[in-house]
Amino acid sequence: MKPSVFGRAVRSPCISVCRIDEVSGYCTGCYRTIDEIAGWGMMTDDRKSLVWEALRRRRATLDPVAPTEAPPRDAQAPSAAAGSAPQLTPPPDRMD
């Protein structure tokens, strides 16, 4: 597999919260467009990395109080009952 521009294979940002917001046109779970979701499997790792960067910007714009990076592994996840937004997790360093 060809490495991405960031030197790693790129996984999907999908968190299984699959709803397209009618106003923004982005998935409320991963912030991708319907075209990005549909084409993900055929994108190169370079293109996937660029989509990840766009997702971070979209999330910061649409939900400025939500974190854009994963919490430390030892941090507790916020309770869904507390009304928190789903966490967008960056891709891992490598996928084997």
Side-chain angles (χ1 to χ4, degrees):
M1 177 183 308
K2 179 181 176 247
S4 74
V5 291
F6 300 108
R8 59 182 174 241
V10 182
R11 70 173 182 182
S12 171
C14 181
I15 60 168
S16 298
V17 177
C18 305
R19 280 173 265 157
I20 300 298
D21 179 74
E22 291 181 22
V23 175
S24 69
Y26 301 135
C27 173
T28 60
C30 68
Y31 293 89
R32 289 183 291 173
T33 65
I34 194 72
D35 290 338
E36 290 166 342
I37 293 167
W40 187 263
M42 297 183 354
M43 288 181 190
T44 64
D45 283 346
D46 291 344
R47 178 71 180 121
K48 289 176 183 178
S49 294
L50 293 173
V51 170
W52 264 101
E53 291 303 316
L55 300 180
R56 288 183 183 95
R57 288 189 302 274
R58 290 173 193 166
R59 182 167 182 142
T61 300
L62 297 172
D63 193 1
V65 296
T68 57
E69 297 295 327
R73 291 190 184 260
D74 59 343
Q76 286 188 333
S79 169
S84 60
Q87 186 92 28
L88 184 64
T89 306
D93 289 336
R94 289 193 52 87
M95 290 188 61
D96 295 324

